[in-house]
Amino acid sequence: MMRRRTFLQGAAAVGAAALLPRRASAAADLKPIYAQVDKHHGEALARLQAWIKQPTIAAESRGITEGRDLTMRMLRDAGFGKVESVSTDGHPGIFATLDAGAPRTIGVYFMYDVKQVDPKEWSSPPWDAALVDLPKLGKVVMGRGAVNQKGPEAAFLSALHAIRGAGKKLPVNLVLVAEGEEEDGSPHFGEAVHRADVQAALAGCQAINMPSASQTLDGNVDITLGAKGVVQVELRASGERWGRGPKRDIHSGMRPAVDSPIYHLVLALASLVTPDGVDPAIDGMEAKVRPLSDFEKKLVADVAARRDEKTFQKEFSIEHWARDLSYRESLERLSGRPTVNIQGLVAGYQGPAGKTILPHAGVAKLDIRLVPDLKAEDVLKMLRAHLDKRGFADIEIVNQGSYDPNTTPYDALGTRTQLAVYRAAGFEPLVIPRSGGSWPGYLFTEAPLKLPTMHFGLGYGRGAHSKDEIFVVEPKGPKVEGIAGAVRSHVDLLYTFASIK
Amino acid sequence: MMRRRTFLQGAAAVGAAALLPRRASAAADLKPIYAQVDKHHGEALARLQAWIKQPTIAAESRGITEGRDLTMRMLRDAGFGKVESVSTDGHPGIFATLDAGAPRTIGVYFMYDVKQVDPKEWSSPPWDAALVDLPKLGKVVMGRGAVNQKGPEAAFLSALHAIRGAGKKLPVNLVLVAEGEEEDGSPHFGEAVHRADVQAALAGCQAINMPSASQTLDGNVDITLGAKGVVQVELRASGERWGRGPKRDIHSGMRPAVDSPIYHLVLALASLVTPDGVDPAIDGMEAKVRPLSDFEKKLVADVAARRDEKTFQKEFSIEHWARDLSYRESLERLSGRPTVNIQGLVAGYQGPAGKTILPHAGVAKLDIRLVPDLKAEDVLKMLRAHLDKRGFADIEIVNQGSYDPNTTPYDALGTRTQLAVYRAAGFEPLVIPRSGGSWPGYLFTEAPLKLPTMHFGLGYGRGAHSKDEIFVVEPKGPKVEGIAGAVRSHVDLLYTFASIK
């Protein structure tokens, strides 16, 4: 194995990145650890499969206790000295520490829950964690949570096993916090994080890492400098609340003289977006959107230059960007724009053909993604005021988990560590100002902790929140790493974090 | 029993109707028949209950054959000489005749299907046909189809049993056509009606009667002079058809740069109605709406004067008319206005909480009610053109059963018969220009048959297309008739139809 440290720094050098050699040589002292990674590959895979086979779905209150207990066992097995369940008003969090007596401490964020599934959509059952051979990718594990987030998290734990297996002490201390409600909008994670002893332990960290699969099929690896906030709400319209329309489903023959709560909801939804359906139109939101800075735009331009557009579109089954904007503009939007999205509509008759009813109620499930300087609490108020002003005061807004966006500086210790590790592995990372998704990182990046965050890890997966979610186990080509490469990257991260200036 | 013939005629006299005595005396020669009605009350009830216990739901292809066979047996039992199944491209119709050698022939329309149910909404299971005591109404049978339409139809059949039981020959001949897809929009009933021998038999009729429960809780009885047409369609939006947005559900983090097929559908739906959601706004529809005539408005004004507004609103669980219009204006709208109604929305994630997906598809189930001179075929074209013009050409319109409105003259034989029978029973009917609901009566009222239609019958029920559908068996107060009164009214109808000038 060849591993060399590149000296390219920052966005200025990115043009040359695609030409860099891959698989640079390993630092000599990590070789025994890498040997452990290779030797225990089967255990690393089995660890991930066992985890996937335990569904934990917050929205369905499914497998919470079992998932938490399994995660706690896995943490103890990986060497965490103290592993505690942290009760909240919702599903419990986990607090774990590993004191290696090292000068630096890295915080780790885990989620032990996964998204819901519709099993009949899947080509292999989502809880089977089956090994599947894909023609282009190679051997993958398929199952809910494979990439979001158990694959990367299991790889991180396997790195701890490998270091211990090589007879070495961790080069950093660890403080881990986990939750079982991430996919539900982390409604109670703040309670766990704010517990005095947890907060004190986190305050001793220099960064927070959420293990991730950061490679893409075009041979790149991503660093993200933040994530969006999210407001997840249900808008509920009903004749009961409105005082208009029927209070139960009635014969639709009454429609000429009776208001329709569903149409009321549809008109409210239409008012929340621009006429082309693309941008939010909630009063007051736009004024709070902080435009991307020139530096952020430069980062995005680099992504546009180096990430293949067609491959990216194909990954998400799309052919055209909204408004037929350019690739660069679309990537800027992914990092820089808030959204109003309808996740689902549940209203009236759902069965085959028709029922000729005038339904009394309907529900729209929205997720509203936030960029700085939008705050979840403010957006909830803006939404309420927007609806009130337009005659939709009766429409109930049910908050189902909302939090603020988060930002990590480009020059933060965590960011510099990632750049160094990836470059040492032969990659010049694509630096994305803000990911399109959300996680409760604001609990770390904002006061009082003000910690930089990372979403680190080699490896590749896809299908988060979708069907046929996968994580690559043994890649066919050289484009992405499998489990072993992911585990090695976490070894590298810990050693680099311990020593980087 | 007192029964007297009133001599009040027409709309001019309606103001006095509320003062009329009820339960006028029976014509002497019908007394033996009425005696049979009373004697066989239990059988009449059992007939209805047995019918309700056999679900037939076209939209779910449920119990079609069983429902048809049961209906055919019931027709034979009631004295129909010829009873045939009429195959169509959909579910079968029924054609039955009873030749009494009488000068006049009355056509009869039956539906043997019922609306879908959501059993968990019901206070008594919808297929139990249980007898329930309601504090105000008395003894009722509760079950799907109780009033729409098995209760009235069973009462009609019991009238035939009673006449035969009294040793009498029917005073009219009968030609009956039935379908099992009425609740699905009668997509194949035309095929049955247009079969040469069926059409020939219908051409020999002087009117078509659909047995109904025409009483209301305020002590009135309704005659309707027509019904609306209906266009039942699904609007289907998807990334596949649109060529924009995702072709499968993807992570909603992509929303800033990816179009949303569900929002596309929502915006299309919003364009179909006026900004307040009340009236259709499909291009071209309004120009084809024939306003109510002065005579029709006079009929409506009479209804407004004599039907209690609060009772009517309560029956449909509403507190306010759309646009806070007056009662009279709202009743005019019920007879005179077309509608665009959303029966149901099925789009994206339907489960608890959220799933943060950008869904690739959504479906809206619409029913569009038609008044003259709107034709179903034209409205389907208008809808297509309206969507095409506004950038919704990709949204698929799936026609799920559509037909034209129908109209019966005030001075038709059937209308005069109803007026005479109700007046003889002590009622001055409320004459409604057009019911808010729909049935495929245009197959009878339009060329070549051009027959007047009736929705005749004493009796009361409610809950059509809704939960807890009922038909009154033994009323507590004097306001509405039970099964026996309904059966007697059908006896009266047949004799009056045979003899009226």
Side-chain angles (χ1 to χ4, degrees):
Chain A
M1 294 227 305
M2 290 288 292
R3 174 172 289 240
R4 76 171 176 87
R5 179 170 286 273
T6 77
F7 293 95
L8 303 170
Q9 290 291 336
V14 294
L19 306 172
L20 287 174
R22 303 282 301 277
R23 310 273 187 286
S25 69
D29 60 341
L30 299 184
K31 278 186 179 163
I33 302 174
Y34 294 165
Q36 286 291 314
V37 173
D38 293 336
K39 187 174 169 191
H40 296 286
H41 181 267
E43 289 156 56
L45 170 60
R47 187 173 292 122
L48 171 56
Q49 288 177 302
W51 206 355
I52 291 172
K53 285 176 183 175
Q54 172 56 60
T56 295
I57 300 180
E60 298 170 356
S61 292
R62 177 175 179 187
I64 306 295
T65 305
E66 298 84 346
R68 179 203 58 182
D69 291 350
L70 173 58
T71 306
M72 290 175 68
R73 276 201 304 279
M74 291 171 70
L75 293 172
R76 287 193 191 98
D77 290 350
F80 281 87
K82 184 173 76 174
V83 180
E84 287 179 10
S85 178
V86 183
S87 59
T88 71
D89 286 347
H91 301 318
I94 298 172
F95 172 44
T97 56
L98 193 167
D99 184 356
R104 284 184 178 163
T105 302
I106 191 164
V108 182
Y109 167 84
F110 267 24
M111 50 187 280
Y112 66 85
D113 65 317
V114 297
K115 263 294 164 206
Q116 303 94 304
V117 294
D118 184 353
K120 63 182 180 298
E121 294 178 347
W122 288 60
S123 60
S124 169
W127 312 120
D128 275 12
L131 285 176
V132 175
D133 261 308
L134 296 183
K136 287 178 185 165
L137 277 177
K139 195 185 287 180
V140 305
V141 60
M142 183 175 288
R144 176 53 89 220
V147 64
N148 177 205
Q149 203 68 12
K150 289 174 175 174
E153 290 171 350
F156 174 80
L157 295 181
S158 293
L160 305 187
H161 282 278
I163 294 169
R164 191 175 54 184
K168 296 182 187 286
K169 212 167 148 185
L170 272 193
V172 292
N173 313 308
L174 300 176
V175 173
L176 182 142
V177 282
E179 66 167 319
E181 298 177 313
E182 201 275 348
E183 297 295 7
D184 225 9
S186 305
H188 305 94
F189 186 51
E191 293 175 37
V193 169
H194 290 132
R195 205 177 78 175
D197 57 339
V198 178
Q199 191 75 187
L202 288 168
C205 298
Q206 286 78 52
I208 303 285
N209 178 34
M210 177 179 183
S212 299
S214 297
Q215 290 188 280
T216 47
L217 285 183
D218 57 5
N220 282 303
V221 65
D222 292 346
I223 291 175
T224 55
L225 295 181
K228 291 183 182 171
V230 71
V231 169
Q232 279 210 73
V233 291
E234 283 188 0
L235 297 191
R236 296 184 189 164
S238 72
E240 296 88 319
R241 284 183 59 90
W242 194 12
R244 307 190 66 86
K247 293 189 173 58
R248 57 177 172 80
D249 295 351
I250 63 172
H251 194 291
S252 68
M254 294 298 288
R255 177 81 169 94
V258 179
D259 291 293
S260 161
I262 289 194
Y263 242 119
H264 190 57
L265 179 63
V266 162
L267 294 170
L269 291 170
S271 81
L272 299 179
V273 295
T274 49
D276 63 1
V278 175
D279 267 315
I282 297 170
D283 295 338
M285 265 184 80
E286 197 60 40
K288 286 283 190 183
V289 174
R290 188 202 302 168
L292 293 186
S293 69
D294 288 346
F295 178 68
E296 288 171 325
K297 285 187 181 173
K298 204 183 289 179
L299 294 175
V300 169
D302 177 49
V303 176
R306 291 174 50 212
R307 167 156 299 153
D308 183 65
E309 181 176 10
K310 289 293 161 213
T311 307
F312 188 39
Q313 287 187 325
K314 198 173 162 196
E315 189 163 342
F316 290 98
S317 288
I318 55 174
E319 286 175 11
H320 300 280
W321 299 113
R323 293 181 183 149
D324 292 316
L325 292 174
S326 72
Y327 183 36
R328 185 184 53 74
E329 289 169 310
S330 299
L331 291 176
E332 283 184 2
R333 290 181 56 82
L334 286 178
S335 280
R337 292 293 308 169
T339 62
V340 172
N341 179 54
I342 300 176
Q343 311 180 42
L345 293 171
V346 189
Y349 176 62
Q350 307 277 308
K355 203 180 171 187
T356 47
I357 49 166
L358 170 48
H360 74 107
V363 175
K365 294 167 177 286
L366 300 186
D367 66 77
I368 302 173
R369 304 267 180 182
L370 310 180
V371 298
D373 300 313
L374 288 164
K375 299 277 185 190
E377 196 183 330
D378 294 340
V379 169
L380 281 164
K381 286 178 192 159
M382 289 175 191
L383 177 61
R384 180 71 277 160
H386 176 101
L387 293 175
D388 291 355
K389 187 179 163 188
R390 287 165 176 76
F392 304 113
D394 57 286
I395 294 183
E396 189 180 10
I397 299 172
V398 182
N399 182 1
Q400 300 198 311
S402 303
Y403 47 74
D404 297 337
N406 64 78
T407 305
T408 283
Y410 184 80
D411 61 359
L413 178 66
T415 314
R416 285 186 285 120
T417 303
Q418 293 182 83
L419 285 165
V421 172
Y422 288 140
R423 284 165 179 164
F427 296 93
E428 182 55 38
L430 296 177
V431 183
I432 296 170
R434 176 164 287 102
S435 80
S438 303
W439 74 298
Y442 78 103
L443 289 168
F444 309 117
T445 63
E446 304 306 301
L449 292 175
K450 294 191 176 179
L451 294 170
T453 60
M454 305 184 250
H455 300 271
F456 175 85
L458 292 180
Y460 174 78
R462 68 180 173 219
H465 297 204
S466 184
K467 63 183 175 181
D468 288 355
E469 183 175 348
I470 57 164
F471 187 67
V472 172
V473 175
E474 290 172 20
K476 190 165 268 176
K479 292 273 186 183
V480 295
E481 294 286 353
I483 286 181
V487 176
R488 280 193 301 268
S489 75
H490 288 290
V491 173
D492 293 353
L493 181 85
L494 295 172
Y495 279 90
T496 306
F497 188 82
S499 61
I500 196 168
K501 299 296 174 205
Chain B
M1 292 225 310
M2 288 288 292
R3 173 171 288 241
R4 77 171 175 88
R5 180 171 283 272
T6 78
F7 294 94
L8 303 170
Q9 291 290 337
V14 294
L19 306 172
L20 288 174
R22 303 282 302 278
R23 308 274 187 287
S25 69
D29 60 341
L30 299 185
K31 277 187 180 163
I33 302 173
Y34 294 164
Q36 286 290 313
V37 173
D38 293 337
K39 188 175 170 192
H40 296 285
H41 182 264
E43 289 156 55
L45 171 59
R47 186 173 292 123
L48 172 56
Q49 289 178 301
W51 206 356
I52 291 172
K53 285 176 182 175
Q54 172 56 61
T56 295
I57 300 179
E60 299 170 355
S61 293
R62 178 175 178 185
I64 307 295
T65 304
E66 297 83 348
R68 179 203 58 182
D69 291 350
L70 173 59
T71 306
M72 289 174 68
R73 276 199 306 277
M74 290 171 70
L75 293 173
R76 286 193 191 100
D77 290 349
F80 281 86
K82 185 172 76 172
V83 180
E84 287 180 10
S85 179
V86 183
S87 59
T88 71
D89 285 348
H91 301 318
I94 299 172
F95 172 43
T97 55
L98 192 167
D99 184 356
R104 284 184 178 164
T105 302
I106 192 164
V108 182
Y109 167 83
F110 268 23
M111 51 188 280
Y112 66 85
D113 64 319
V114 298
K115 263 294 164 204
Q116 303 93 304
V117 293
D118 184 353
K120 65 182 179 295
E121 294 177 347
W122 289 60
S123 60
S124 170
W127 313 120
D128 276 12
L131 284 176
V132 176
D133 260 308
L134 296 183
K136 286 176 186 166
L137 278 177
K139 195 185 287 181
V140 306
V141 61
M142 184 176 287
R144 175 54 88 220
V147 65
N148 177 205
Q149 205 67 28
K150 289 175 176 174
E153 290 171 350
F156 175 79
L157 295 181
S158 293
L160 305 186
H161 281 277
I163 293 168
R164 191 174 53 182
K168 295 183 189 285
K169 212 168 150 186
L170 273 193
V172 293
N173 313 309
L174 300 176
V175 172
L176 182 142
V177 282
E179 65 167 321
E181 297 176 313
E182 201 276 348
E183 298 295 5
D184 225 9
S186 305
H188 305 94
F189 186 51
E191 293 175 36
V193 169
H194 289 132
R195 205 177 77 175
D197 56 341
V198 179
Q199 190 75 189
L202 287 168
C205 297
Q206 285 78 51
I208 303 285
N209 179 34
M210 177 177 184
S212 298
S214 298
Q215 290 188 280
T216 48
L217 285 183
D218 57 4
N220 282 303
V221 66
D222 292 346
I223 291 175
T224 55
L225 295 181
K228 291 182 182 172
V230 69
V231 169
Q232 279 210 73
V233 291
E234 283 188 1
L235 298 191
R236 296 183 188 164
S238 72
E240 296 89 320
R241 283 184 59 91
W242 194 11
R244 306 191 67 85
K247 293 189 173 60
R248 57 176 172 79
D249 294 352
I250 63 172
H251 194 292
S252 68
M254 294 298 287
R255 178 79 170 95
V258 179
D259 291 292
S260 161
I262 288 193
Y263 242 119
H264 190 57
L265 179 64
V266 162
L267 294 169
L269 291 170
S271 81
L272 300 179
V273 294
T274 49
D276 64 2
V278 175
D279 267 315
I282 298 171
D283 295 339
M285 264 184 81
E286 198 59 39
K288 286 282 190 183
V289 174
R290 189 202 301 168
L292 292 186
S293 69
D294 287 346
F295 178 68
E296 287 171 324
K297 285 186 180 174
K298 205 183 291 179
L299 293 175
V300 169
D302 177 49
V303 175
R306 292 175 48 212
R307 167 156 299 154
D308 183 64
E309 181 176 11
K310 289 295 161 208
T311 307
F312 188 38
Q313 287 187 326
K314 199 173 161 196
E315 188 163 343
F316 289 100
S317 287
I318 55 174
E319 286 175 11
H320 299 281
W321 299 114
R323 292 181 184 148
D324 293 315
L325 293 173
S326 71
Y327 183 36
R328 185 184 53 74
E329 288 169 311
S330 299
L331 291 176
E332 283 184 3
R333 288 181 58 82
L334 286 178
S335 279
R337 293 294 307 169
T339 63
V340 172
N341 179 54
I342 300 176
Q343 311 180 43
L345 293 170
V346 189
Y349 175 62
Q350 308 277 307
K355 204 180 172 187
T356 47
I357 50 166
L358 170 46
H360 73 107
V363 175
K365 294 167 176 288
L366 301 186
D367 67 77
I368 301 173
R369 303 267 180 183
L370 310 181
V371 297
D373 298 319
L374 288 163
K375 299 276 186 193
E377 195 183 330
D378 294 340
V379 169
L380 281 164
K381 285 178 191 158
M382 288 174 191
L383 177 61
R384 181 71 276 160
H386 176 102
L387 293 175
D388 290 356
K389 186 178 163 189
R390 286 165 177 77
F392 304 113
D394 58 287
I395 294 183
E396 189 179 9
I397 299 172
V398 181
N399 182 0
Q400 301 198 310
S402 303
Y403 47 76
D404 297 336
N406 65 78
T407 305
T408 283
Y410 184 80
D411 60 0
L413 177 65
T415 314
R416 285 186 284 119
T417 304
Q418 292 181 84
L419 284 165
V421 171
Y422 287 140
R423 285 167 179 164
F427 296 94
E428 181 55 39
L430 296 177
V431 182
I432 296 171
R434 175 164 288 102
S435 81
S438 303
W439 74 298
Y442 78 104
L443 289 168
F444 309 117
T445 63
E446 305 304 303
L449 292 176
K450 294 191 176 179
L451 293 171
T453 60
M454 303 184 251
H455 300 271
F456 175 84
L458 291 181
Y460 175 78
R462 67 179 173 219
H465 297 205
S466 185
K467 64 183 175 181
D468 288 354
E469 184 176 347
I470 58 164
F471 188 66
V472 173
V473 175
E474 290 173 20
K476 190 165 268 177
K479 292 274 186 183
V480 296
E481 295 285 353
I483 285 182
V487 177
R488 280 194 301 268
S489 76
H490 286 291
V491 172
D492 292 353
L493 182 85
L494 296 172
Y495 278 91
T496 307
F497 189 82
S499 61
I500 196 168
K501 300 295 173 205

